[in-house]
Amino acid sequence: FRLTPKNQAVLDPFTVPELRRRGTGMTEMDLMPYLEDLRRAILAKYPNYKATELQTEQWLEEPYMSVQAGKDELGESRDTTYLRTNHETEFTLSDSPDDFVIVYGVNHTQTGKCTYNNFVIYGAQVFNGVASVDDKTLLGSADDYIPGHANADKLYAWKVARHANGDPHCLEVQTGSQAYGIPLTDPAFVGFRSYIEPSTKVGPAYNELIYDRAIHFTAK
């Protein structure tokens, strides 16, 4: 059905709003050497596994860029950043205890670059986020790999597997339907968000963050 008003209204659109500016000029880059310490410690803890380091990239673009390019950005909002492990490094996760992912990086809330951050495991076919861990839960987890490190409180490391087997720092990924889980043979990826930098009241600038990372371990 088509409804046509008897009297044509005069359009009075909202004006284009001024965007909040991302970024403060302060970055996390001074933590790069310490993040590398964590990376080496993770790899050293699992020497008998094949380690595939997943590449992280910007997932969604700014809204006005997407409107001009005609891209579907899945409801992107400027209150956060959107990062993900890229298409080339999507992975499948079997139910074997020798198949798991270690997600690690900077806890951006602890550096003051955001008020909340998390990582989410997504099924790659329908972008269904099925399990996540937030910044408060991640606190102290880097001590599993670099105990006593002076900057461990600003870092995190968390295991992702089908079964936690009693590990308190492990996120379980359920199987089942795509609505509630990721089937064993379906590809998956990790998404990362950092919400609201306190001083700007908008998502942080991408180039002021150290991108979160992940390593997929499998039996050799």
Side-chain angles (χ1 to χ4, degrees):
F1 296 94
R2 178 177 179 179
L3 301 178
T4 304
K6 292 181 179 180
N7 301 313
Q8 186 68 39
V10 177
L11 296 179
D12 184 19
F14 292 112
T15 58
V16 177
E18 180 179 346
L19 297 178
R20 293 183 185 270
R21 296 183 180 181
R22 291 185 187 256
T24 63
M26 301 298 294
T27 78
E28 297 175 335
M29 296 305 292
D30 59 320
L31 294 174
M32 282 290 286
Y34 312 124
L35 185 62
E36 184 61 23
D37 291 341
L38 178 57
R39 171 184 172 271
R40 286 194 294 264
I42 292 170
L43 292 170
K45 186 169 182 176
Y46 306 106
N48 298 321
Y49 289 83
K50 176 185 177 183
T52 302
E53 299 192 60
L54 312 184
Q55 299 299 311
T56 302
E57 65 185 13
Q58 184 174 338
W59 182 2
L60 304 177
E61 293 184 351
E62 291 275 344
Y64 289 169
M65 297 169 62
S66 303
V67 168
Q68 294 180 79
K71 293 182 178 179
D72 179 5
E73 296 294 350
L74 308 173
E76 187 270 356
S77 172
R78 296 187 75 249
D79 64 353
T80 187
T81 52
Y82 297 89
L83 301 174
R84 61 159 288 174
T85 53
N86 66 19
H87 296 278
E88 289 73 21
T89 54
E90 289 173 354
F91 57 91
T92 57
L93 197 60
S94 72
D95 59 359
S96 168
D98 293 324
D99 189 354
F100 56 91
V101 174
I102 302 295
V103 181
Y104 72 103
V106 173
N107 190 326
H108 307 294
T109 302
Q110 293 302 299
T111 65
K113 295 306 292 180
C114 65
T115 58
Y116 169 86
N117 62 273
N118 66 9
F119 75 82
V120 183
I121 305 301
Y122 283 87
Q125 294 187 349
V126 294
F127 287 0
N128 55 322
V130 299
S132 68
V133 184
D134 64 30
D135 60 273
K136 291 183 175 60
T137 306
L138 294 169
L139 283 173
S141 58
D143 287 328
D144 293 350
Y145 299 91
I146 49 173
H149 194 289
N151 288 278
D153 61 325
K154 294 184 177 67
L155 306 174
Y156 74 89
W158 208 267
K159 190 175 184 179
V160 176
R162 294 293 181 175
H163 307 286
N165 294 320
D167 185 347
H169 292 165
C170 181
L171 176 66
E172 290 189 339
V173 179
Q174 301 297 319
T175 56
S177 70
Q178 287 181 333
Y180 304 104
I182 302 173
L184 295 175
T185 57
D186 281 9
F189 66 91
V190 189
F192 307 94
R193 290 179 176 83
S194 299
Y195 288 88
I196 303 293
E197 188 163 12
S199 61
T200 62
K201 304 299 188 292
V202 71
Y206 285 92
N207 66 343
E208 293 180 4
L209 299 179
I210 293 178
Y211 283 13
D212 303 77
R213 304 177 180 184
I215 306 173
H216 185 199
F217 290 94
T218 53
K220 289 184 178 179

